[in-house]
Amino acid sequence: MPNTFESISILGLGYIGLPTAAVFASRKIKVIGVDVNPHVVDTINRGEIHIIEPELDMVVRTAVSEGYLRATTEPEPADAFLIAVPTPFKSGPTGPHHPNTDYIESASKSVAPVLKAGDLVILESTSPVGATEQMAAWLAEARPDLTFPQTHGESSDIRIAHCPERVLPGQVLRELIQNDRVIGGMTPKCSDAATRLYKTFVQGECVITNARTAEMCKLTENSFRDVNIAFANELSVVCDDLGINVWELIKLANRHPRVNILQPGPGVGGHCIAVDPWFIVSQSPDHARLIRCAREVNDSKPKWVVDKVKGAVKTLQAARSGLTADAVAISCLGLSFKANIDDTRESPAVDIVRILAREHSGPLLVAEPYLSSLPDSLLGERITMVTTEEAIDRADVIVMLVDHQSFKNITLSTIGTRALVDTRGVWQTGETQ
Ligand code: SAJ
């Protein structure tokens, strides 16, 4: 086992793999990035990026131009392999929310032929408990000539660990370096090797545990946040029912030294918090009752917001006799899953806009300063993309979905007398949505 890693291969050059590859390369380590998508590979080899993340373009451009980062579609030999591929859902015995580890399987099978004794393989993808052991089994099956920790313990040729990523989209480069890292080796020597690798750039603490605990730790962190957001979302619905301003309520309650309620919103989006809790539910369906309930509360919020928008349209109609719904323009502000990023994966804003496009007969305008066109999932819907100014000018009903800074700069006087459904509490009008 080398003390230093001369070359590192990262499989999956997405939101986690690419920044990780770039940061290793910035420490003058040779990085081979592997992705099945040739378009992604070509983009990176030109020194460009295919995702938006602050400062990442600069770090990738430098890494590629200095020769430390190169992308390819086929794995090549390296001293360490990091697997950072997606783990989406698949249907299973109890519903549609079971972890799909197919990408981990194909990534591990693709690195198996280039493995050599002394290599380290790390699973970074968010994974169900047991996935690292499963990955080790796939590797062992493909390479009977090498030994693995599950059969040879500390004397194995290959070291294996799970080290989940924990970085916040929008702050990835800073958090990659500063956050503590959970290192779940299959044996203590596996953990030591992984710690040595991450210590090349991680300034936070590398805390050692076993692979299963590391897997559960990542799922727990995101479930904790989901449950807490569900509490805020449930409060917002209760407060609406009781005629109380939830934003004011939360500010007041948070003055208690041991209370720290999160913010309600239109629902929970992104590829992590809306997904990972289901992995726990899928593996322990009879016991993960609160975690499941939080998912259901958060998933039901978009529909509730749609009903509030429909209610606002009806109120306008009641106030002006003869006004038909098809003469009422609704403007939605924002499509991304949270503020100040372009990422629309699992975005509740997208779901709300889609339902409104199908159920509201009048004009539906959308402003999203982080996108130049509608995401694929909304193509073909009856939606007009406009600038923020136009969205406000033409609106009868404004629906605030994403609290981008540029939207927060809009003053209440600009909104004037237009009806407002503010799911993020940006304007604190006393509305409780
Ligand atoms: N949200 C609210 N109210 C809040 C906070 C968030 O409605 O008070 C919503 C956001 O609008 C968004 C969703 O929750 O739709 C998730 O946003 P987020 O900022 O909470 O989290 P992500 O998905 O961007 O990143 C999370 C982080 N996990 C935790 O904070 C525990 C990050 O550290 C993880 O690395 C990331 O998931 C991941 O990759 O798993």
Side-chain angles (χ1 to χ4, degrees), residues 165-169 218 221-222 225 229 262-265 267-269 272-273 276 337-338 424:
E165 61 80 15
R166 317 159 94 183
V167 289
L168 196 69
K218 167 71 195 203
E221 292 160 10
N222 281 352
R225 195 150 168 88
I229 298 169
L262 294 181
Q263 296 298 299
V268 168
C272 308
I273 299 207
D276 303 352
F337 83 83
K338 66 175 187 177
R424 298 279 185 179

Side-chain angles (χ1 to χ4, degrees), residues 170-350:
Q171 304 181 20
V172 166
L173 288 174
R174 182 164 65 74
E175 291 210 355
L176 263 179
I177 292 165
Q178 290 179 357
N179 288 3
D180 291 345
R181 198 91 205 197
V182 175
I183 310 271
M186 283 183 71
T187 66
K189 277 192 180 166
C190 295
S191 298
D192 287 349
T195 303
R196 268 205 317 279
L197 178 70
Y198 284 107
K199 272 295 172 193
T200 52
F201 70 82
V202 170
Q203 288 168 5
E205 210 178 315
C206 290
V207 191
I208 289 175
T209 180
N210 58 50
R212 290 175 77 86
T213 308
E215 288 159 349
M216 188 63 180
C217 185
K218 167 71 195 203
L219 302 179
T220 300
E221 292 160 10
N222 281 352
S223 300
F224 172 86
R225 195 150 168 88
D226 196 47
V227 168
N228 281 279
I229 298 169
F231 182 74
N233 276 332
E234 185 162 295
L235 269 184
S236 74
V237 176
V238 170
C239 284
D240 184 67
D241 200 29
L242 301 180
I244 291 168
N245 180 331
V246 71
W247 317 104
E248 183 194 359
L249 173 85
I250 290 174
K251 269 192 201 142
L252 293 174
N254 282 351
R255 283 174 170 259
H256 185 289
R258 284 173 296 284
V259 174
N260 188 10
I261 303 169
L262 294 181
Q263 296 298 299
V268 168
H271 44 294
C272 308
I273 299 207
V275 174
D276 303 352
W278 286 117
F279 290 10
I280 299 180
V281 175
S282 145
Q283 291 192 292
S284 192
D286 295 338
H287 302 296
R289 291 180 299 158
L290 179 63
I291 296 172
R292 179 203 300 272
C293 182
R295 276 285 68 245
E296 287 165 356
V297 168
N298 286 331
D299 275 353
S300 65
K301 195 71 191 291
K303 166 79 173 59
W304 186 85
V305 173
V306 167
D307 289 343
K308 296 304 292 181
V309 178
K310 287 180 177 172
V313 173
K314 287 217 167 75
T315 306
L316 284 182
Q317 289 181 273
R320 215 187 306 160
S321 76
L323 181 68
T324 52
D326 54 14
V328 177
I330 299 175
S331 287
C332 294
L333 301 185
L335 284 174
S336 62
F337 83 83
K338 66 175 187 177
N340 307 324
I341 58 170
D342 71 324
D343 194 338
T344 56
R345 284 177 292 175
E346 314 287 331
S347 173
V350 168

